[in-house]
Amino acid sequence: MGQNKRIRILDVPVDMVNNKQAMEIFEGLMELPGCSLIVTPNSEIIMNATKDTELKMLIEEAGLIIPDGIGLVYASKIIKEPLSERVTGVDFLNSILAYLEKTGKSIYLLGSKPANAESASVAELAAQNMQIKYPNLKIAGTHDGYFKKEEEAALVDEINESGAEFLCVALGAPKQEKFIYEHRDEFKHVCAGIGVGGSLDVWAGTVKRAPKFYQDHGLEWLYRFVKEPSRYKRMAQLPLFMVKVLTTAKNSSV
C-alpha cells in the first residue's frame, strides 16, 4: 500500500498524490478490514471544513484525500508544498471501475435523482453506461438519493445484502461524506466508500462534462458557471479560498 504524505491547506489535510499514487493507496484500502472513507476536496469543501467541525474531523480520519480542484494545486504552491497534479473525482472513479472489473469486486451506486415516467434513475442510467464500458463490472445495486433519515437503516441493510465491496455516493458534499462516515461501522462488506457529487450524472449522460480544453486548464468550474449561472454563490468560494490561503501564508511567514 502506498504511503500518504499529507499537506495542510487552511489546516485541512490533503494527500500529496498523483493519479497513480492515489490508485496504489486505494488498492491497499480495498484489502483492509472495515470501511475506509475517500474524500475528494475542492476549494469549496476545504472552506466548508474550516467552519464545519464534523466535516473536518471525517476528512482527518479519511483513508485517502485526493486533491480534486485546481484551487488546491494553486494553494499548495503558495504554501510551498506543491501538489504535482489534480486528481479529479470523475477520472479517479473511472480508474476505480477498471480496478473493480479486473478484480471482480462489486460496486453499489447511491444517489442523485430518482426515476420518473420518462427515465430510469440517474444511478440506474449510470450503471447501464458503466456496464457498457466495463462489461464484466459487477454492479451490486443502485438507489436514488431521495430518502429520509429514518429510511437510512433499511438502505444500509440493502447495501449489506447486495454484498457490495465498494460504495459510490452522490448526495452532494458534505452530505455524501457524512453518510459514509456515519454508517462506516455498519457496512458488512464495503471496504471503501467515496463521495462523487455530480460524477454519477456525468456517467448517466444527464450532465455533460466540460470539454477537454477546460479540463486540461483547470477551468471546469468556469464551464459549469457558464452553463449554470445560478451556481455563482458556490463559484464565489474559489476567490475567497485563494484570498484566505494568501492571507494565512503571509501571516505565518511574519
Side-chain angles (χ1 to χ4, degrees), residues 47-73:
M47 286 289 281
N48 289 341
T50 65
K51 299 170 282 189
D52 183 336
T53 54
E54 182 185 359
L55 175 59
K56 185 170 185 291
M57 177 188 68
L58 70 83
I59 295 175
E60 295 275 4
E61 295 186 21
L64 177 59
I65 312 163
I66 65 171
D68 178 12
I70 193 64
L72 274 62
V73 176

Side-chain angles (χ1 to χ4, degrees), residues 62-222:
L64 177 59
I65 312 163
I66 65 171
D68 178 12
I70 193 64
L72 274 62
V73 176
Y74 294 153
S76 71
K77 293 177 180 177
I78 291 169
I79 65 174
K80 295 181 170 47
E81 294 190 85
L83 295 162
S84 60
E85 63 184 32
R86 294 171 64 204
V87 183
T88 66
V90 65
D91 290 326
F92 189 57
L93 178 56
N94 199 42
S95 299
I96 287 173
L97 295 175
Y99 162 86
L100 295 175
E101 182 187 46
K102 181 180 177 181
T103 58
K105 296 181 186 295
S106 59
I107 183 173
Y108 191 101
L109 305 177
L110 168 64
S112 204
K113 293 180 181 178
N116 56 41
E118 288 78 37
S119 173
S121 72
V122 166
E124 290 176 278
L125 292 172
Q128 291 168 15
N129 288 331
M130 288 174 179
Q131 204 81 73
I132 291 169
K133 185 168 183 180
Y134 299 102
N136 296 316
L137 177 66
K138 293 180 181 178
I139 298 176
T142 67
H143 196 289
D144 65 67
Y146 287 65
F147 53 86
K148 298 176 182 177
K149 185 68 179 175
E150 56 268 27
E151 298 172 323
E152 289 189 12
L155 180 54
V156 170
D157 287 342
E158 184 178 315
I159 293 168
N160 285 334
E161 288 166 11
S162 78
E165 293 145 290
F166 183 70
L167 178 61
C168 182
V169 184
L171 301 175
K175 186 177 179 181
Q176 56 198 15
E177 289 81 13
K178 290 183 178 182
F179 176 87
I180 298 167
Y181 185 80
E182 181 180 344
H183 298 291
R184 68 196 186 284
D185 294 332
E186 300 165 38
F187 295 128
K188 294 180 180 177
H189 311 288
V190 176
C191 300
I194 187 173
V196 295
S199 292
L200 276 195
D201 293 273
V202 173
W203 271 101
T206 55
V207 170
K208 187 178 179 182
R209 193 178 180 191
K212 196 168 188 307
F213 171 85
Y214 290 86
Q215 296 177 38
D216 292 345
H217 292 82
L219 295 172
E220 287 173 285
W221 61 273
L222 178 60

